[in-house]
Amino acid sequence: EIQGIADQNVTVGIRPEGFIPDENGPLRCRVSNTEVMGRDVSIVSTHSASLNPVVRSIINADHGIQLQQEFVRYAVKPHKLFIFSRETEERIPFEVK
């Protein structure tokens, strides 16, 4: 629940750098591929509720991601989260507190 947004059906978008590896995170994705890109790791994964078949996250390598793991769990950086009305497809602004 986000304060100030009416209860409605929404679509959520998350920027690739908005994912935070968290072993107790609410978002669990199946890992398809990982690629070390210098100081970052690109993780390509899937989630059954995703409209796009690919979920790409970019994680700082200092997080210690295991490159061979089958699943990864995430929390999300609120300022990298975008919410859209399913009815109008317009972005719904909200404040991060």
Side-chain angles (χ1 to χ4, degrees):
E1 180 178 322
I2 297 176
Q3 297 290 4
I5 295 181
D7 188 23
Q8 60 185 296
N9 290 323
V10 297
T11 299
V12 176
I14 305 167
R15 301 280 309 155
E17 64 276 11
F19 294 91
I20 305 166
D22 180 343
E23 63 185 36
N24 298 310
L27 182 61
R28 181 178 183 253
C29 297
R30 179 181 294 276
V31 175
S32 301
N33 189 32
T34 57
E35 179 182 350
V36 177
M37 305 178 335
R39 65 184 176 100
D40 294 326
V41 176
S42 172
I43 301 173
V44 177
S45 57
T46 59
H47 189 279
S48 61
S50 178
L51 296 177
N52 185 339
V54 173
V55 176
R56 181 175 301 275
S57 56
I58 299 175
I59 307 300
N60 186 299
D62 291 341
H63 279 289
I65 293 292
Q66 301 295 322
L67 298 179
Q68 305 304 321
Q69 66 192 54
E70 183 178 2
F71 292 96
V72 63
R73 294 188 81 93
Y74 296 110
V76 177
K77 297 175 185 174
H79 63 285
K80 298 293 183 180
L81 182 82
F82 301 92
I83 300 174
F84 301 89
S85 166
R86 282 211 185 155
E87 184 177 316
T88 66
E89 297 183 355
E90 291 182 15
R91 185 171 168 200
I92 301 171
F94 67 96
E95 288 188 36
V96 177
K97 295 184 180 193

